[in-house]
Amino acid sequence: MATIQQVEEMVNQYVQSVGLTVEGTYNAERKAWYWTIGSAKIEVFIQGIPMQDGSQRYFLRIFSPLLQIPKTDEAKFYRHLLELNDSKLGVKLTVMPGSDTVYATYERDINGIDYEEVRTCIADLEFWADTLDDQLKDQFSGR
C-alpha cells in the first residue's frame, strides 16, 4: 500500500521527469502541484475522503479546466460531453458544484499505486486536457 508521502514523491519524480521543478510547481499551502502543458492548466493533489468507519481513503486527483459552459444550446453541449465521457477512457468530464467550468478529471485510489501508474494517470490527463480544451472551445465558444 502506497502512503501519501510516497505518492507525493512519485508526483515530484514525474514533475522532474518532464523538465519541471518541484519548487516551480508545488504550492505547500494548498498541498498541490500546478503547471501548464500546451494550453492546459494542470492541478494535481491527494485528497482524503472520510469513510463511515472513521478511516480515510486517499485519492490522487488530477484536474484541468477546459472551458466555461456555453449559455446557448446547453442540451447539445451536455450530450456532447457525455459522448466524450464514453470515448475518452480514463478521463471524465465534470462540473464542480457551484461552478460553470467544465474540467477534465482523473482520479485513482492511492492504494496499490506505483510510479508507472502515477506517470500514466498524469500524462493521460495532460494529453486529453490539452486536446479537449481546444476542441471544445473551437466547437462551443466560437473562437
Side-chain angles (χ1 to χ4, degrees):
M1 180 167 149
T3 67
I4 294 169
Q5 292 77 20
Q6 288 170 324
V7 176
E8 289 172 341
E9 283 304 313
M10 291 179 212
V11 174
N12 287 338
Q13 183 181 349
Y14 177 81
V15 163
Q16 293 169 328
S17 78
V18 296
L20 301 170
T21 65
V22 174
E23 300 77 23
T25 58
Y26 186 69
N27 180 316
E29 183 178 315
R30 297 188 61 125
K31 295 184 180 186
W33 295 260
Y34 300 91
W35 66 87
T36 301
I37 182 121
S39 57
K41 295 177 181 171
I42 308 299
E43 177 181 0
V44 178
F45 60 96
I46 299 166
Q47 181 177 6
I49 304 293
M51 305 308 294
Q52 286 184 340
D53 66 1
S55 66
Q56 295 255 339
R57 270 181 84 183
Y58 293 95
F59 289 82
L60 175 66
R61 300 194 73 197
I62 311 158
F63 287 94
S64 181
L66 299 179
L67 79 160
Q68 300 300 112
I69 297 169
K71 303 289 186 232
T72 60
D73 210 357
E74 285 188 34
K76 179 181 176 186
F77 177 72
Y78 284 119
R79 178 172 181 90
H80 185 71
L81 292 183
L82 288 171
E83 290 170 354
L84 288 173
N85 269 340
D86 184 58
S87 65
K88 307 306 180 211
L89 301 177
V91 173
K92 62 183 179 180
L93 301 174
T94 62
V95 177
M96 294 180 195
S99 169
D100 65 347
T101 302
V102 176
Y103 291 86
T105 305
Y106 210 112
E107 301 167 316
R108 163 63 161 90
D109 189 318
I110 69 168
N111 189 20
I113 201 166
D114 62 17
Y115 175 71
E116 283 306 309
E117 193 166 2
V118 167
R119 185 190 63 72
T120 298
C121 291
I122 296 172
D124 281 358
L125 187 278
E126 287 175 329
F127 171 79
W128 284 118
D130 190 34
T131 300
L132 291 172
D133 69 339
D134 294 331
Q135 287 177 0
L136 288 168
K137 285 174 185 168
D138 286 345
Q139 188 169 356
F140 291 100
S141 296
R143 63 167 203 160

